[in-house]
Amino acid sequence: SQQGEEDPQALSIQEGENATMNCSYKTSINNLQWYRQNSGRGLVHLILIRSNEREKHSGRLRVTLDTSKKSSSLLITASRAADTASYFCATDYGQNFVFGPGTRLSVLP
Amino acid sequence: GAVVSQHPSWVICKSGTSVKIECRSLDFQATTMFWYRQFPKQSLMLMATSNEGSKATYEQGVEKDKFLINHASLTLSTLTVTSAHPEDSSFYICSARDGGAGNTIYFGEGSWLTVV
């Protein structure tokens, strides 16, 4: 299976703290993307990072990619209660686009 | 921005009937479309990949006779759940790859299927 892994599976933090989620994958990729999903809803695209990039920022989000370790991390700074959701990494292998198991983030007010 | 429309958003059907879910790319031509299934509190599992005009490629363990995928045009793919059973109840979501925009992938909003 090409599906990678994410950790932690669940993360609970206080508002204002930073949240870090990690994603690992198994084979070479074209790019890696992070998505957010609120309960019972569709996916919201957060950031795409290409295989030749190492870090990208978008607002309070920072994504890193280490192709030598086949891993990526998503950092959410100064978290808010509205950030409570499931976060998935998805790896684009060209023909396939595969999701990790996700991290359920709870930000407590 | 590019939009992928998925319809219906919610559907309830009786056991034994078939239900069709549509996935449309509204302002781009989708060279490839993907169908996923998601159980509560789990990740999205790729069911199949479809390229316009050719047969879908199904992932291991996905019954191609039960989940019929048709990608008849560059803007439309359909997933038909045949002879639905309660265990088919799930969240189904499609995505489409825009070959003309750096191969960017866009997702539909998903379809909730409940089989009673």
Side-chain angles (χ1 to χ4, degrees), chain A residues 5-37:
Chain A
E5 298 182 356
E6 287 175 67
D7 72 271
Q9 291 187 347
L11 179 62
S12 185
I13 60 174
Q14 294 293 133
E15 218 170 10
E17 294 180 339
N18 296 340
T20 300
M21 290 159 268
N22 302 297
C23 167
S24 62
Y25 55 94
K26 297 185 178 179
T27 61
S28 296
I29 60 173
N30 293 334
N31 61 68
L32 185 145
Q33 304 184 36
W34 285 90
Y35 289 84
R36 185 183 74 217
Q37 185 182 36

Side-chain angles (χ1 to χ4, degrees), chain A residues 3-109:
Chain A
Q3 187 176 33
E5 298 182 356
E6 287 175 67
D7 72 271
Q9 291 187 347
L11 179 62
S12 185
I13 60 174
Q14 294 293 133
E15 218 170 10
E17 294 180 339
N18 296 340
T20 300
M21 290 159 268
N22 302 297
C23 167
S24 62
Y25 55 94
K26 297 185 178 179
T27 61
S28 296
I29 60 173
N30 293 334
N31 61 68
L32 185 145
Q33 304 184 36
W34 285 90
Y35 289 84
R36 185 183 74 217
Q37 185 182 36
N38 289 83
S39 181
R41 304 295 299 275
L43 298 172
V44 175
H45 181 260
L46 297 177
I47 288 185
L48 179 153
I49 186 165
R50 300 193 186 282
S51 59
N52 60 352
E53 297 175 313
R54 292 297 167 258
E55 187 171 309
K56 286 190 82 168
H57 296 254
S58 176
R60 294 183 295 112
L61 307 180
R62 181 171 76 97
V63 168
T64 62
L65 179 65
D66 187 335
T67 53
S68 66
K69 296 181 179 178
K70 293 186 172 58
S71 68
S72 174
S73 67
L74 169 66
L75 168 67
I76 303 174
T77 60
S79 63
R80 305 166 182 169
D83 294 328
T84 294
S86 291
Y87 292 82
F88 297 95
C89 70
T91 42
D92 188 343
Y93 295 97
Q95 182 61 15
N96 290 348
F97 192 72
V98 181
F99 285 83
T103 295
R104 293 193 304 278
L105 174 65
S106 297
V107 181
L108 307 175

Side-chain angles (χ1 to χ4, degrees), chain B residues 98-110:
Chain B
D98 183 352
N103 283 322
T104 303
I105 290 176
Y106 301 96
F107 279 84
E109 279 293 303

